[in-house]
């Protein structure tokens, strides 16, 4: 199985390099969800959950904070590169989301959002229904730019990615007695599944046919989760990981049911849990690939790899994050004055208490590429 996955990954990378000087593999990339994929929408909201200040973004193309909860690129940024795009989908609420720039996709994600609307409301983030409302506005703008026929082709041919659920558990359920005393984790997952199913069906009704959704990560292994729920241990919190696995199983079953009743839909569930768990539990063995980047367009912005550069070796820190003490800091707690922030995040699995580093995101994006063949075939 690993050989076949590696072969498929190689074929997909070959496809990426083949189109590197031509058109992208799909007409557009639209992204929905939470802080794992937010590229700056929360910058323009009245919320404390932001990442538009140093040291966030210090290793990004511009070496400036953008609103990404990372030291550099997100997994979806690498995904955009792999698909052949020459720019990243801009945040819907940003100034960049204007004119013809919007034709290749938009990012609607909002940090601290989730399938459960009250999670987003708790942190003044954009709920998924609100993100979908903006998606409808985007569709109207695309129709005005290129006409209905071409617009419909863009909508049906584009990849729509959804990343949500982590905030629902970590930032709401586990710390909210109004939820965890009323619902078991299994019952709460059922509520989230209803929202997920409704969201996918609404997307489908708007013409989307290629949809990808990520599973929950090993939430019990996030540095902040270990600090908050680990009872003083230095190990992954088993009960949280168990809840994540149960949620992911339901996500797969729900997605299969949706595929059976929505004709023509391509719905892929991307397993993020196992790839990230492997990085955390076997950091050295699961470091970056031993590969050289030789494509000419990887020399210049927005993808500033140097030709011939090789990334080798594994991660040396998977328990603590790079920012601050590495135990809990995220958002406003991860700032320029945070004591202890590492000078080089390359070998850290986590950038802050909740979010992977750019290096880990690149590794995760490679896994997404291997799993997502159906969406680009």
């Amino acid at each position: 199985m690993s050989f076949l996955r590696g072969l498929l990954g190689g074929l997909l990378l070959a496809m990426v390099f083949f189109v590197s000087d031509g058109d992208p593999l799909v007409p557009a990339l639209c992204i929905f969800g939470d802080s794992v994929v937010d590229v700056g929408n929360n910058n323009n909201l009245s919320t404390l959950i932001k990442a538009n200040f140093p040291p966030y973004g210090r290793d990004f193309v511009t070496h400036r904070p953008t609103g990404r909860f990372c030291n550099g690129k997100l997994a979806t940024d690498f995904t955009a590169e792999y698909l052949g795009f020459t720019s990243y989908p801009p945040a819907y609420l940003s100034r960049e989301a204007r004119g013809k720039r919007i034709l290749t996709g938009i990012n609607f994600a909002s940090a601290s959002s989730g399938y459960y609307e009250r999670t987003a409301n708790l942190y003044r983030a954009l709920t998924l229904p609100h993100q979908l409302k903006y998606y409808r506005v985007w569709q109207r703008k695309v129709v005005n730019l290129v006409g209905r026929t071409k617009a419909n082709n863009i909508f049906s041919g584009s990849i729509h990615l959804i990343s949500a659920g982590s905030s629902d558990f970590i930032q709401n359920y586990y710390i909210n007695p109004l939820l965890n005393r009323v619902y078991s984790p299994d019952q709460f997952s059922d509520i989230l599944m209803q929202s997920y199913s409704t969201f996918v069906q609404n997307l489908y009704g708007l013409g989307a046919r290629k949809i990808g959704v990520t599973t929950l990560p090993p939430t019990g292994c996030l540095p902040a989760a270990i600090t908050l729920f680990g009872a003083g241990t230095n190990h992954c919190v088993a009960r949280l990981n168990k809840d994540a696995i149960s949620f992911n199983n339901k996500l797969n079953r729900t997605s299969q049911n949706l595929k059976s009743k929505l004709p023509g839909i391509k719905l892929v569930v991307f397993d993020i849990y196992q790839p990230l768990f492997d990085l955390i539990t076997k950091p050295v063995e699961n470091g970056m690939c031993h590969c050289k980047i030789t494509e000419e367009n990887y020399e210049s912005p927005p993808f500033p790899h140097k030709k011939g550069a090789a990334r080798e070796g594994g991660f040396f820190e998977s328990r603590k994050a790079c920012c601050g003490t590495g135990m809990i800091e995220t958002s406003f707690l991860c700032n320029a004055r945070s004591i202890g922030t590492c000078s080089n995040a390359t070998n850290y699995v986590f950038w802050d208490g909740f979010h992977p580093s750019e290096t880990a995101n690149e590794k995760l994006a490679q896994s997404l590429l291997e799993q997502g063949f159906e969406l680009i075939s």
Side-chain angles (χ1 to χ4, degrees):
M1 181 62 70
S2 60
F3 171 77
L4 291 176
R5 285 187 64 191
L7 179 60
L8 178 59
L11 290 172
L12 289 172
L13 283 171
M15 290 175 63
V16 171
F17 291 149
F18 180 77
V19 300
S20 62
D21 292 322
D23 294 328
L25 293 171
V26 293
L29 177 62
C30 293
I31 300 167
F32 307 87
D34 54 23
S35 61
V36 175
V37 291
D38 184 1
V39 296
N41 280 308
N42 274 29
N43 295 353
N44 298 286
L45 299 176
S46 298
T47 175
L48 291 176
I49 313 302
K50 299 184 180 184
N52 57 345
F53 45 82
Y56 287 104
R58 72 180 193 187
D59 300 314
F60 193 63
V61 179
T62 59
H63 299 290
R64 295 178 180 177
T66 62
R68 289 168 170 81
F69 286 74
C70 186
N71 59 304
K73 301 176 189 175
L74 305 179
T76 47
D77 294 324
F78 288 109
T79 299
E81 294 180 19
Y82 296 157
L83 291 173
F85 291 103
T86 56
S87 62
Y88 308 122
Y92 178 81
L93 297 178
S94 70
R95 295 181 179 179
E96 288 73 31
R98 297 179 180 178
K100 293 185 178 180
R101 175 78 185 276
I102 71 171
L103 293 177
T104 54
I106 291 290
N107 187 308
F108 303 93
S110 176
S112 292
S113 186
Y115 293 118
Y116 194 63
E117 285 192 48
R118 293 182 183 178
T119 300
N121 292 335
L122 186 64
Y123 296 96
R124 297 186 176 181
L126 298 176
T127 65
L128 281 180
H130 203 155
Q131 294 179 35
L132 195 66
K133 176 183 176 181
Y134 284 149
Y135 176 77
R136 293 190 182 96
V137 175
W138 170 75
Q139 285 191 321
R140 291 197 292 269
K141 291 179 179 179
V142 171
V143 171
N144 290 336
L145 285 171
V146 301
R148 172 56 67 178
T149 300
K150 188 172 182 179
N152 285 343
N153 290 333
I154 292 175
F155 306 148
S156 62
S158 301
I159 291 178
H160 301 73
L161 294 180
I162 309 165
S163 172
S166 294
S167 294
D168 291 317
F169 279 98
I170 301 295
Q171 294 176 251
N172 196 354
Y173 178 80
Y174 290 130
I175 62 174
N176 187 350
L178 296 178
L179 286 177
N180 58 48
R181 291 183 181 177
V182 177
Y183 304 108
S184 68
D186 188 63
Q187 291 171 327
F188 187 62
S189 289
D190 288 338
I191 295 173
L192 301 187
M193 283 302 105
Q194 293 174 10
S195 296
Y196 162 68
S197 181
T198 298
F199 187 80
V200 169
Q201 291 179 79
N202 286 336
L203 261 183
Y204 179 88
L206 292 171
R209 292 297 180 269
K210 297 181 177 183
I211 302 173
V213 58
T214 61
T215 65
L216 287 185
T219 50
C221 296
L222 305 181
I226 296 176
T227 301
L228 292 171
F229 309 109
T233 71
N234 197 37
H235 306 290
C236 296
V237 185
R239 67 180 178 90
L240 269 62
N241 281 350
K242 181 180 178 181
D243 292 344
I245 291 172
S246 176
F247 174 93
N248 294 342
N249 289 335
K250 289 185 179 184
L251 185 67
N252 276 287
R253 291 195 297 270
T254 302
S255 298
Q256 286 299 321
N257 290 336
L258 288 168
K259 290 171 69 174
S260 68
K261 70 178 184 180
L262 299 176
I265 193 172
K266 293 184 177 181
L267 179 57
V268 174
V269 177
F270 290 105
D271 176 23
I272 291 296
Y273 185 101
Q274 194 61 48
L276 185 54
F277 187 76
D278 288 342
L279 294 184
I280 294 166
T281 57
K282 301 176 182 178
V284 176
E285 297 92 325
N286 291 282
M288 298 308 300
C289 65
H290 293 64
C291 55
K292 288 189 176 181
I293 300 169
T294 58
E295 296 303 307
E296 293 294 332
N297 74 322
Y298 275 56
E299 285 189 316
S300 57
F303 313 138
H305 300 293
K306 293 183 178 180
K307 185 176 180 180
R311 285 192 172 186
E312 300 186 2
F315 298 95
F316 67 78
E317 181 57 75
S318 61
R319 163 60 182 97
K320 294 173 57 179
C322 172
C323 191
T325 64
M327 306 300 284
I328 196 168
E329 291 90 346
T330 193
S331 190
F332 59 88
L333 294 178
C334 174
N335 56 68
R337 296 184 178 182
S338 297
I339 299 174
T341 299
C342 73
S343 59
N344 185 351
T346 302
N347 292 322
Y348 280 71
V349 173
F350 291 99
W351 162 249
D352 67 16
F354 288 92
H355 306 97
S357 66
E358 178 184 74
T359 310
N361 279 331
E362 184 172 6
K363 186 67 175 177
L364 293 174
Q366 291 168 4
S367 179
L368 293 178
L369 183 68
E370 293 174 6
Q371 298 178 53
F373 182 76
E374 181 182 354
L375 296 181
I376 58 177
S377 62

